[in-house]
Amino acid sequence: MGGRGLTRRNLLQASAIGAGALALGGLGSAPSAAAATFYAGADVSWVPQMEATGYTWLNASGVQEDILTILKGYGLSAVRLRTWVNPSSDPVNGHCSIDETAAMAVRAKAAGLAVNIDYHFGDTWNSVGVQNPPAAWASMTYSQMLTAMYNYVYHTMNVIKYNGVTPTWVQIGNEINSGICHPVGSVSNPAQMTGLLNAAHDMVKEVFPSAQVVIHLAQPQNYSSMTTFFSAFSGNGGTWDMNGFSSYGSASVAAGIVANMAEISNAYGKPYMQVEFGGDVSKVGSTESALEAYATALKANGGQGLLYWEPEVYSPFTTYAMGAWDSTTREPTAIMNGFTA
C-alpha cells in the first residue's frame, strides 16, 4: 500500500500494467491443483473511521445492513486489518492503533470471518514506494530496533490474543520489496532486514503458533523485484510461512501475473495468496472482469485467496477511487459480483 491520500492512489494505479508490459521469460509451469481452501476477502480497515464519521452501507436491495453482513453475502470469508505503531487521529491516514485493530478483529470474528493482521511497522502508510519506521524508532541503531521489534510484535499479538481472536494470517510488513524501517532494515542491508523480520516472525509464533506468517510484496509482474527480495531474505536465514502479493492489473494480464506469483512461491516452497486487488470504481465492467480473472487464475494455480482492498469505501470519505461501492446510492456496484461468478 502506498502513501497518503492521492499519493497512495497514484502508487496503486502505477501498479496496474498493460498486457505488453508483462514479461514472463524463463518461467516454469504453474501448479495445476487448486488450493483446498480458497478465501475471498477484503481489507476493511477504514470501516471504523467511516462509521465514526457517519457513513453507512446499503445492500444491493437498498436495505441498510452491517458492512460485514453485506460482504458475507457475496461469499467473503476473510478480512485484513492494518495496524500502525503510533498513528495520528486523521480519519483517512491515521487510526488503526493496535487497540482499534483488535476491536475490529473481534467484530470480524463474531461475524465468522478469518482475520489477517497487517503490520506496517510505521505510524502511517508503508508500501512498495515508502518504508518509513515509526517516529519513535527512527534514530535507533539496528540493535535497538531489533529489541523494539521483539517488544512491539509480542505486545501487539498479545493484545489480539487478550481480545479472544486468533488470526489466520499475520503479515510482517506491507509491500516490503525494498525491506522495512529504512534505512536500517532496507533490502540493501539484507542481514539487518532479515533479523528484524525474523524477530517479528518469532514473536508472532510465540503468541500464535498456528498463524501463517506472510511476507507481502507488491507488483509481482516485476519478477526481478521478487527474486531480489527473496534471495536476500532467504539467503540470510529468513523464516516465513506464506507469500502475499498486491496486484491491481486488468483482466488481460491477470493470468500472467498470477503465474509469476506461483512461480516465485514454488521456488521457495511456499503457499501464496493475493492480499490486495482493486480497480477503478467508475469502470465497473472492467474491474468486475479483472476480479473474476484473478480469482480464476488463482484457483487454477494453487492460490489460497484473494482480498479486495477497501471495497466498502466511497467518496467523499476519501479521494481513493478503487473501491467497489456507489457513492450516490451507498449500494455495492456490480464489481462485487466478481466474487460470486
Side-chain angles (χ1 to χ4, degrees):
M1 289 176 284
R4 305 151 185 83
L6 285 172
T7 302
R8 184 187 186 285
R9 180 182 66 180
N10 293 340
L11 281 169
L12 294 184
Q13 290 174 332
S15 299
I17 59 170
L22 183 66
L24 298 175
L27 299 190
S29 59
S32 57
T37 300
F38 188 86
Y39 289 89
D43 190 309
V44 293
S45 303
W46 265 328
V47 163
Q49 289 74 55
M50 292 184 72
E51 290 174 331
T53 48
Y55 288 82
T56 58
W57 296 268
L58 306 184
N59 62 25
S61 299
V63 177
Q64 185 173 326
E65 282 188 307
D66 182 89
I67 183 59
L68 299 183
T69 301
I70 299 174
L71 294 176
K72 285 185 68 178
Y74 286 96
L76 273 63
S77 55
V79 296
R80 187 176 77 153
L81 305 171
R82 62 180 166 270
T83 194
W84 292 328
V85 180
N86 292 303
S88 75
S89 59
D90 180 88
V92 174
N93 305 305
H95 289 277
C96 300
S97 68
I98 190 57
D99 290 332
E100 293 173 313
T101 299
M104 192 63 196
V106 169
R107 185 171 161 186
K109 178 186 176 183
L113 298 164
V115 173
N116 176 356
I117 300 296
D118 176 22
Y119 283 113
H120 278 237
F121 300 133
D123 294 332
T124 187
W125 309 107
N126 273 324
S127 69
V128 66
V130 178
Q131 290 294 333
N132 293 323
W137 300 9
S139 61
M140 288 182 179
T141 65
Y142 168 62
S143 177
Q144 292 169 331
M145 192 176 288
L146 193 63
T147 298
M149 181 66 79
Y150 276 115
N151 291 340
Y152 170 66
V153 176
Y154 183 72
H155 167 70
T156 51
M157 286 287 96
N158 271 295
V159 171
I160 299 293
K161 184 177 182 179
Y162 177 81
N163 279 274
V165 177
T166 298
T168 302
W169 314 271
V170 178
Q171 293 181 208
I172 51 172
N174 188 80
E175 296 186 342
I176 61 172
N177 304 51
S178 63
I180 61 171
C181 298
H182 288 183
V184 174
S186 170
V187 73
S188 60
N189 293 318
Q192 293 183 176
M193 177 190 77
T194 303
L196 291 170
L197 289 170
N198 278 354
H201 168 276
D202 292 351
M203 292 301 95
V204 172
K205 292 293 191 178
E206 179 76 16
V207 181
F208 295 113
S210 66
Q212 294 290 291
V213 175
V214 180
I215 291 293
H216 172 204
L217 302 185
Q219 300 172 353
Q221 65 268 22
N222 184 352
Y223 198 75
S224 64
S225 176
M226 305 294 102
T227 57
T228 295
F229 175 87
F230 282 118
S231 293
F233 184 48
S234 179
N236 282 273
T239 305
W240 78 109
D241 299 317
M242 188 176 195
N243 294 339
F245 299 99
S246 299
S247 185
Y248 292 74
S250 66
S252 64
V253 298
I257 290 176
V258 171
N260 267 16
M261 297 180 194
E263 185 72 16
I264 195 68
S265 299
N266 289 344
Y268 291 93
K270 304 296 181 182
Y272 73 100
M273 65 190 300
Q274 184 171 340
V275 296
E276 289 189 29
F277 167 84
D280 190 337
V281 70
S282 70
K283 299 178 179 178
V284 171
S286 61
T287 300
E288 180 186 357
S289 295
L291 176 57
E292 292 175 10
Y294 273 103
T296 297
L298 287 160
K299 292 173 183 177
N301 288 274
Q304 294 192 3
L306 171 61
L307 309 183
Y308 205 111
W309 200 86
E310 300 280 12
E312 83 291 351
V313 77
Y314 60 89
S315 66
F317 177 76
T318 173
T319 55
Y320 181 70
M322 299 177 77
W325 238 256
D326 188 294
S327 61
T328 301
T329 66
R330 294 184 291 131
E331 296 177 6
T333 68
I335 291 169
M336 293 298 296
N337 294 334
F339 280 113
T340 59

